[in-house]
């Protein structure tokens, strides 16, 4: 056990103990021999001023339960988890909070050195983004602050579905930021439409903070609206897609989650049938056609026809060459 973990463990033992703790118990918790316990406790009291005393029965306890370790103290496992989380967040969107992350990294390294942990795991975990769309990082800061402070914001938004129309100015009450398929979305209450909406951050052209209090939407309503149907398109599902994957593709599809309420089963021939609810088929169709000949839409007929149409359109682009 490294020094950081040992100090953290000793503090936790004495902080939570209702009665003095024996050397044997401490040795088991700190993973050392009973002979080493007294030496470790002396280091603990000398370096950190820990109020530890030993009674006549050679048991240890805090004389002051209000004592806390100076600064932030984490054991080795917690340091690894924290550093891993920081690296993942930095790889997800390296530009956001770049300066704050640098300060965070410096503090983590100081904690590592103080605990005599020499291994640096910062380069051991990598998140690779594919297809992520660029957005204005300053917009993210304004949105995040409004989200935390529960304030409304004014945005200028350009819809991808209506590229010929002019951008619209909307006042919205942000509810939560969503990272979905390497891109950011904002779930909110739109005061222009008087309803829940989800906006892609890269389509937000301008953001203006306001002092007006945001309208609160219950979490259950948000989950029901945004989290029930397939993909990022919110709303209650009204259809169920039934997809049959070839035996070759089945081994991967059986491990994937397309929807929290999906159902899947292997067939006798080794193929795999996946059932999932959906409302809007735009995103679902794109997911289906990327598997090419390894998947077939069984139901509903409307989804089958849409996939067939997309595949025919793709084939026409090559037939005239």
């Amino acid at each position: 056990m490294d020094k950081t973990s040992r100090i953290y463990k000793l503090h936790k033992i004495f902080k939570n103990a209702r009665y003095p703790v024996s050397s044997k118990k401490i040795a088991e918790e700190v993973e050392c021999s009973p002979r080493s316990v007294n030496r470790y406790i002396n280091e603990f009291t000398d370096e950190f001023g820990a109020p530890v005393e030993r009674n006549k029965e050679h048991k240890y306890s805090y004389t002051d339960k209000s004592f806390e370790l100076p600064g932030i103290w984490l054991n080795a496992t917690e340091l690894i988890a924290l550093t891993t989380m920081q690296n993942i967040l930095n790889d997800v969107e390296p530009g956001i909070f770049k300066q704050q992350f640098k300060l965070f990294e410096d503090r983590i390294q100081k904690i590592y050195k103080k605990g005599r942990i020499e291994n640096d795991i910062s380069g051991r975990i990598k998140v690779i983004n594919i297809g992520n769309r660029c957005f204005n990082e300053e917009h993210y800061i304004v949105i995040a602050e409004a989200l935390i402070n529960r304030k409304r914001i004014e945005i200028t938004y350009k819809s991808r579905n209506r590229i010929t129309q002019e951008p619209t100015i909307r006042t919205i009450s942000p509810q939560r930021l969503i990272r979905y398929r390497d891109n950011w979305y904002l779930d909110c209450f739109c005061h222009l439409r008087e309803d829940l909406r989800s906006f892609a951050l890269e389509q937000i052209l301008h953001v203006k903070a306001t002092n007006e209090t945001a309208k609160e939407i219950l979490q259950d309503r948000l989950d029901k609206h945004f989290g029930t149907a397939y993909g990022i398109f919110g709303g209650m599902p009204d259809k169920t897609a039934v997809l049959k994957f070839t035996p070759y593709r089945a081994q991967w599809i059986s491990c994937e989650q397309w929807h929290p309420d999906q159902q899947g089963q292997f067939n006798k021939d080794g193929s795999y049938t996946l059932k999932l609810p959906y409302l809007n088929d735009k995103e679902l169709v794109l997911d289906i056609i990327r598997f090419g000949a390894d998947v077939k839409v069984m139901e509903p007929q409307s989804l089958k026809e849409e996939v067939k149409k997309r595949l025919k359109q793709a084939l026409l682009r090559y037939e005239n060459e």
Side-chain angles (χ1 to χ4, degrees):
M1 181 179 292
D2 60 86
K3 184 177 179 181
T4 300
S5 297
R6 187 168 63 245
I7 292 171
Y8 181 90
K9 180 68 72 172
L10 286 171
H11 177 64
K12 187 176 181 181
I13 291 171
F14 297 133
K15 191 77 172 177
N16 297 332
R18 298 179 60 186
Y19 305 100
V21 187
S22 67
S23 296
K24 182 180 179 181
K25 177 64 175 177
I26 294 174
E28 291 175 355
E29 293 287 337
V30 182
E31 299 176 7
C32 69
S33 66
R35 291 183 179 181
S36 301
V37 169
N38 190 57
R39 176 165 58 87
Y40 288 152
I41 290 178
N42 285 338
E43 291 179 358
F44 187 30
T45 56
D46 291 343
E47 292 186 29
F48 301 95
V52 183
E53 71 170 3
R54 185 174 67 174
N55 62 20
K56 295 179 180 179
E57 298 176 347
H58 301 287
K59 293 183 177 181
Y60 301 85
S61 63
Y62 269 170
T63 59
D64 181 6
K65 284 293 186 72
S66 65
F67 172 76
E68 294 292 347
L69 289 170
I72 299 175
W73 277 89
L74 304 169
N75 63 22
T77 302
E78 290 168 335
L79 274 172
I80 291 171
L82 193 59
T83 308
T84 300
M85 179 182 67
Q86 187 272 329
N87 276 275
I88 291 175
L89 288 173
N90 192 50
D91 283 333
V92 163
E93 211 64 63
I96 299 178
F97 305 127
K98 185 176 182 179
Q99 183 177 356
Q100 290 82 351
F101 274 150
K102 181 62 172 63
L103 297 174
F104 178 75
E105 289 172 354
D106 293 342
R107 291 184 182 182
I108 287 294
Q109 290 304 317
K110 288 180 181 178
I111 296 175
Y112 267 110
K113 292 178 181 178
K114 185 175 291 187
R116 298 176 185 174
I117 302 173
E118 302 298 336
N119 294 327
D120 183 3
I121 67 166
S122 60
R124 302 295 182 181
I125 299 172
K126 185 70 176 175
V127 177
I128 299 176
N129 290 314
I130 298 178
N132 58 316
R133 298 184 289 269
C134 297
F135 62 90
N136 189 314
E137 294 163 4
E138 293 182 0
H139 292 174
Y140 184 97
I141 303 298
V142 176
I143 292 170
E145 288 180 349
L147 185 66
I148 294 171
N149 296 324
R150 308 310 305 130
K151 297 295 184 180
R152 300 184 188 189
I153 55 177
E154 184 182 281
I155 66 170
T156 303
Y157 190 75
K158 178 69 172 179
S159 175
R160 284 193 301 266
N161 296 329
R162 301 176 179 85
I163 57 176
T164 59
Q165 294 185 7
E166 292 296 316
T168 57
I169 298 176
R170 305 163 182 251
T171 298
I172 62 174
S173 290
Q175 302 298 318
R176 57 190 181 188
L177 279 163
I178 304 293
R179 178 75 177 183
Y180 178 74
R181 292 194 170 187
D182 291 340
N183 289 290
W184 286 102
Y185 297 86
L186 176 63
D187 289 348
C188 64
F189 181 86
C190 177
H191 295 275
L192 176 66
R193 306 303 183 196
E194 288 295 317
D195 200 1
L196 293 173
R197 290 289 187 272
S198 183
F199 296 117
L201 257 61
E202 78 277 358
Q203 296 301 118
I204 296 178
L205 307 180
H206 180 72
V207 179
K208 179 182 177 181
T210 76
N211 290 321
E212 194 172 357
T213 302
K215 179 182 178 66
E216 288 291 349
I217 305 297
L218 293 176
Q219 192 71 32
D220 287 346
R221 183 182 171 190
L222 292 174
D223 291 339
K224 186 176 181 180
H225 181 87
F226 292 110
T228 307
Y230 177 85
I232 201 66
F233 300 101
M236 290 295 294
D238 56 4
K239 295 175 283 294
T240 298
V242 181
L243 313 176
K244 186 176 181 179
F245 293 86
T246 62
Y248 170 76
R249 188 59 61 180
Q251 57 187 319
W252 287 284
I253 296 299
S254 62
C255 299
E256 293 184 5
Q257 184 183 49
W258 290 35
H259 190 280
D261 297 328
Q262 70 184 39
Q263 298 178 12
Q265 66 175 26
F266 281 96
N267 304 310
K268 292 182 179 180
D269 62 354
S271 62
Y272 188 80
T273 299
L274 178 66
K275 298 180 180 180
L276 63 153
Y278 73 99
L279 173 65
N280 191 316
D281 68 4
K282 291 181 180 179
E283 190 172 7
L284 180 56
V285 168
L286 294 177
D287 277 338
I288 292 171
I289 62 178
R290 69 189 175 96
F291 288 102
D294 285 328
V295 63
K296 181 179 180 181
V297 177
M298 309 304 292
E299 297 179 23
Q301 187 64 32
S302 58
L303 179 61
K304 181 185 295 187
E305 293 300 325
E306 182 62 26
V307 171
K308 287 169 62 178
K309 184 180 74 173
R310 293 291 190 92
L311 291 173
K312 288 178 180 178
Q313 289 173 342
L315 183 60
L316 283 174
R317 292 187 174 272
Y318 294 94
E319 288 185 340
N320 295 327
E321 291 186 356

